[in-house]
């Protein structure tokens, strides 16, 4: 796993913009440490984190070409916002180029932007690390650490609420899959699911 990490890191350094390169490295380090906490092979966190945005800067045609390799059609929201395809495209790209076949890694990357109900622990780790890596400057360091100390589903709810608030501000719709994930987590953690809080 570590050899692949080094190889993907070299690719990222050569092919991604400085901003995204830095973000990917931050995400990989945080995902690695969260894997240690939840007893998952840390190398998986590194590989998942470093490659999650690998397709983020593909042009639209290449992104669509790779995303469709998973055998699923383009959904209406993906037609409308093709950038949402970068998770699906990235998973297919690392499968093809680095022969990464671990379904947990591939699924984590596929759904890292909007999530889905029934996410595995590695997918949750990536979802969290993507949003809470130290380069994100909307949080004070102390607050960031406090949130990261919560139970994993409580952190997930925090991240989802942040994403929903952002989409609302931008006048964008919240995907059904994200809402279903929210409901699943809220039921699990006992939080009362008040629509006005998430709409
Ligand atoms: Fe992303
Ligand atoms: Fe990201």
């Amino acid at each position: 796993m570590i050899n692949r990490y080094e190889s993907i890191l070299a690719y990222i350094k050569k092919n991604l913009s400085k901003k995204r390169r830095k973000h990917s490295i931050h995400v990989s380090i945080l995902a690695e440490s969260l894997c240690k906490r939840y007893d998952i092979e840390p190398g998986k966190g590194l590989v998942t984190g470093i490659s999650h945005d690998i397709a983020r800067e593909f042009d639209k045609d290449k992104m669509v070409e790779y995303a469709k390799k998973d055998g699923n059609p383009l959904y209406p929201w993906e037609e409308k916002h093709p950038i949402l395809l970068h998770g699906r495209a990235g998973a297919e790209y690392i499968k093809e180029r680095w022969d990464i076949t671990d379904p947990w890694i591939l699924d984590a990357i596929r759904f890292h932007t909007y999530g889905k109900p029934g996410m595995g622990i590695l997918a949750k780790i990536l979802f969290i690390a993507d949003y809470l890596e130290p380069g994100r400057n909307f949080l004070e360091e102390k607050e960031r650490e406090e949130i990261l100390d919560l139970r994993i589903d409580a952190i997930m709810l925090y991240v989802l609420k942040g994403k929903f608030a952002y989409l609302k501000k931008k006048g964008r719709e919240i995907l059904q899959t994200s809402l279903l994930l929210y409901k699943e987590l809220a039921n699990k953690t006992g939080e009362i699911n008040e629509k006005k809080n998430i709409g």
Side-chain angles (χ1 to χ4, degrees):
M1 205 49 89
I2 290 302
N3 287 347
R4 283 180 178 136
Y5 171 75
E6 296 295 344
S7 172
I8 299 170
L9 177 64
Y11 174 94
I12 296 279
K13 283 184 174 167
K14 201 168 153 214
N15 292 284
L16 290 197
S17 62
K18 197 176 164 197
K19 179 182 146 211
R20 196 140 284 116
R21 191 188 316 155
K22 217 172 136 191
H23 166 66
S24 302
I25 293 170
H26 277 150
V27 174
S28 70
I29 294 167
L30 181 53
E32 180 194 31
S33 85
L34 290 171
C35 279
K36 286 180 187 158
R37 190 197 297 178
Y38 295 106
D39 232 6
I40 301 211
E41 186 192 329
K44 287 194 183 188
L46 279 175
V47 167
T48 308
I50 201 65
S51 39
H52 80 285
D53 273 343
I54 204 159
R56 184 68 174 70
E57 293 170 5
F58 281 4
D59 62 39
K60 193 186 157 204
D61 289 348
K62 194 173 174 187
M63 209 180 284
V64 170
E65 181 201 326
Y66 272 92
K68 279 161 94 181
K69 286 181 194 243
D70 64 16
N72 289 315
L74 290 197
Y75 298 102
W77 56 88
E78 293 170 334
E79 303 260 16
K80 204 167 155 197
H81 301 288
I83 203 67
L84 289 173
L85 288 166
H86 76 273
R88 284 175 61 185
E92 294 306 311
Y93 191 71
I94 62 165
K95 188 155 82 175
E96 183 180 289
R97 188 164 175 148
W98 287 279
D99 197 28
I100 291 174
T101 53
D102 183 321
W104 300 105
I105 295 180
L106 297 177
D107 254 15
I109 293 172
R110 269 183 199 119
F111 302 106
H112 79 265
T113 309
Y114 42 81
K116 66 160 186 174
M119 281 165 92
I121 188 102
L122 187 61
K124 287 180 179 174
I125 285 174
L126 176 61
F127 197 74
I128 289 167
D130 188 29
Y131 191 79
L132 288 173
E133 56 95 344
R136 305 280 199 193
N137 51 14
F138 56 87
L139 275 180
E140 297 287 339
E141 185 55 26
K142 195 172 164 283
E143 203 184 343
R144 203 178 71 83
E145 280 171 12
E146 279 170 10
I147 292 159
L148 284 170
D149 271 346
L150 299 171
R151 295 169 73 98
I152 194 158
D153 286 342
I155 313 175
M156 287 290 294
L157 283 171
Y158 174 87
V159 173
L160 276 167
K161 281 179 189 166
K163 286 183 180 240
F164 291 170
Y166 173 82
L167 289 170
K168 201 172 171 187
K169 204 170 96 188
K170 294 266 167 190
R172 298 248 315 260
E173 62 182 323
I174 297 171
L175 298 186
Q176 189 62 15
T177 179
S178 310
L179 282 172
L180 290 172
L181 169 63
Y182 184 94
K183 284 178 187 160
E184 177 193 76
L185 295 165
N187 285 337
K188 237 162 89 180
T189 56
E191 183 169 313
I192 296 164
N193 182 14
E194 286 178 79
K195 225 177 172 179
K196 62 177 193 275
N197 287 338
I198 58 172

